[in-house]
Amino acid sequence: MTEAYIYDTVRTPRGKGRKDGSLHEVTSARLSAGVLNALKERNNLEGHAVEDVIWGNVTQVGEQGGCLARTAVLASDLDESIPGLAINRFCASGMEAVNLAANQVKGGAGQAYIAGGVEMMGRVAMGSDGAAIAVDPSIAMETYFVPQGISADIIATEYGFSRDEADALAVKSQQRAAKAWEDKRFAKSIVPVKDLNGLLILDQDEYMRPGTDMQSLGALNPAFQAMGEAMPGFDKVALMKYPHLERINHIHHAGNSSGIVDGAAGVLIANKEWGEAHGIKPRARIKATAKIGTDPTIMLTGPVPVTEKILADNGMSISDIDLFEVNEAFASVVMRFMQAFDVDDSLVNVNGGSIAMGHPLGATGAIIIGTLLDELERTGKGTGLATLCIASGMGAATIIERV
């Protein structure tokens, strides 16, 4: 089978996902087009240089509706002969776009692809698509649906994680992200966002709170306790599914959960022959991809079984992985991953994560693949695994090897 390689990765800075966020004036299509233009310019992509643009975004309504991928191509400087495919695997949409593109290359369906994603959470509100899994009572009742924050608290309760442990992980994420920016570890991949006049809008992740400490986080009230305990309450739904739990321990709040932000990211993926023809050297090989379904109530445990699957499918063990990117949707998600595999936290999210910098849903999967590759190159390490939990109970993973 043909090998698929990563030739380049870029991302925008992440803006606060609200009306006073720096990226609020930028549409989803325009932010995506900026990422596509950066990949075109950095790699001299002329004409029908890639087979397709596969673009993930979660809330596919309004400006993010239709086939946003094709809209982004037409809004960019890429040739109009390049089509676009919009996909949605919730929080793993950006990763799934990369994985799908890689497997298309491996299968011989074109030599090169651009894959990634976008989410303008300040412009298109999360949940505004009215997803059936949450709003159709006949489905929600059958699946014991609860909001993701409750799911994160179920994980904490089931696996014994305390509020202090979650807050400590959040503080570390903020410290690591601040250090990464200070050391310019993201410089290779960041594409500053400019307006139509070429004036700078944003060139650094603006959601970060470097001064966060245990005391400031300790002052925050649990974000999901009220909705959990109100009558009839989601806690009762959860306890119907997990009767062995006496109660749900609500440990999550805004400070130890992922931030609502705007952002986009893209990855250029191609085979070896394409790179040789374009005079570009590959940076990493996409060794393996995987996805899996999990319990839809606890919902966010997917990184564990999908990692078990991707390792088993490829004859690998956890010790074969040098670095990990585990999306910080909530603190308990990362803590459960480290607990399950007995992985030292010095190898996980070493440059911070979505708790510090935010989680632009459709883009995050592509972002963490790029962050993983940059860190493998910076440290001279060889193999990395990126994984995300996914709404309604799924997991996705990608293993890359530095070239």
Side-chain angles (χ1 to χ4, degrees), residues 100-113:
L100 178 57
N103 291 325
Q104 292 279 79
V105 170
K106 289 181 179 182
Q111 288 192 314
Y113 286 73

Side-chain angles (χ1 to χ4, degrees), residues 287-292 303-321 341 385 397 399:
K287 179 179 176 64
T289 68
K291 59 270 187 184
I292 202 166
V304 173
V306 81
T307 296
E308 292 172 340
K309 182 180 190 302
I310 199 171
L311 293 175
D313 288 350
N314 291 275
M316 301 176 70
S317 67
I318 201 72
S319 62
D320 294 322
I321 308 297
F341 296 106
L385 181 146
I399 294 177

Side-chain angles (χ1 to χ4, degrees), residues 16-346:
K16 295 176 182 178
R18 56 194 192 202
K19 291 183 178 180
D20 62 350
S22 294
L23 298 182
H24 187 70
E25 67 187 78
V26 186
T27 67
S28 307
R30 289 297 177 188
L31 195 70
S32 300
V35 169
L36 298 180
N37 287 340
L39 288 170
K40 178 183 186 296
E41 294 164 9
R42 286 160 58 123
N43 299 282
N44 300 312
L45 304 180
E46 299 298 333
H48 195 86
V50 298
E51 189 72 20
D52 202 356
V53 170
I54 305 178
W55 217 239
N57 66 292
V58 174
T59 310
Q60 298 188 348
V61 295
E63 70 177 56
Q64 291 187 170
C67 183
L68 178 58
R70 176 59 175 168
T71 305
V73 170
L74 295 176
S76 76
D77 297 330
L78 289 177
D79 194 275
E80 66 178 15
S81 66
I82 298 171
L85 171 65
I87 67 167
N88 181 3
R89 199 187 289 279
F90 294 129
C91 296
S93 296
M95 173 175 286
E96 192 60 40
V98 171
N99 291 354
L100 178 57
N103 291 325
Q104 292 279 79
V105 170
K106 289 181 179 182
Q111 288 192 314
Y113 286 73
I114 292 174
V118 68
E119 206 77 33
M120 300 302 290
M121 300 181 74
R123 295 177 61 91
V124 183
M126 179 172 52
S128 58
D129 53 349
I133 187 68
V135 304
D136 184 335
S138 66
I139 298 175
M141 291 176 66
E142 289 177 357
T143 58
Y144 294 89
F145 171 83
V146 298
Q148 285 192 24
I150 302 293
S151 297
D153 287 337
I154 296 172
I155 294 173
T157 307
E158 176 72 17
Y159 295 101
F161 304 130
S162 70
R163 166 75 179 259
D164 281 350
E165 288 174 313
D167 286 355
L169 186 147
V171 170
K172 186 169 292 186
S173 180
Q174 295 284 356
Q175 294 172 341
R176 288 176 169 180
K179 177 65 173 174
W181 272 102
E182 180 183 339
D183 292 349
K184 297 181 169 54
R185 296 182 188 179
F186 302 130
K188 182 185 295 185
S189 298
I190 289 289
V191 176
V193 181
K194 299 180 180 180
D195 65 15
L196 295 177
N197 297 313
L199 299 177
L200 181 66
I201 296 176
L202 186 66
D203 62 357
Q204 182 165 328
D205 294 321
E206 70 172 346
Y207 182 81
M208 296 187 300
R209 298 177 177 87
T212 298
D213 56 24
M214 293 294 288
Q215 289 69 35
S216 61
L217 293 183
L220 299 176
N221 293 322
F224 310 104
Q225 185 168 358
M227 71 169 67
E229 296 179 352
M231 295 300 292
F234 288 108
D235 282 7
K236 292 186 181 298
V237 176
L239 293 174
M240 289 173 63
K241 183 74 172 286
Y242 312 109
H244 62 283
L245 300 177
E246 293 184 7
R247 58 182 294 274
I248 306 302
N249 183 21
H250 293 285
I251 71 167
H252 289 92
H253 49 75
N256 59 27
S257 306
S258 57
I260 294 174
V261 296
D262 304 324
V267 182
L268 176 60
I269 300 158
N271 62 23
K272 187 175 182 180
E273 291 72 23
W274 183 93
E276 291 173 346
H278 286 77
I280 311 172
K281 292 183 179 180
R283 296 173 58 191
R285 179 172 74 98
I286 299 180
K287 179 179 176 64
T289 68
K291 59 270 187 184
I292 202 166
T294 65
D295 181 337
T297 305
I298 201 167
M299 194 185 307
L300 307 174
T301 55
V304 173
V306 81
T307 296
E308 292 172 340
K309 182 180 190 302
I310 199 171
L311 293 175
D313 288 350
N314 291 275
M316 301 176 70
S317 67
I318 201 72
S319 62
D320 294 322
I321 308 297
D322 298 314
L323 289 173
F324 300 86
E325 284 289 325
V326 183
N327 185 41
E328 294 176 351
F330 299 90
S332 64
V333 174
V334 183
M335 291 193 289
R336 172 57 189 147
F337 181 89
M338 292 189 293
Q339 179 191 65
F341 296 106
D342 193 24
V343 174
D344 191 278
D345 76 347
S346 65

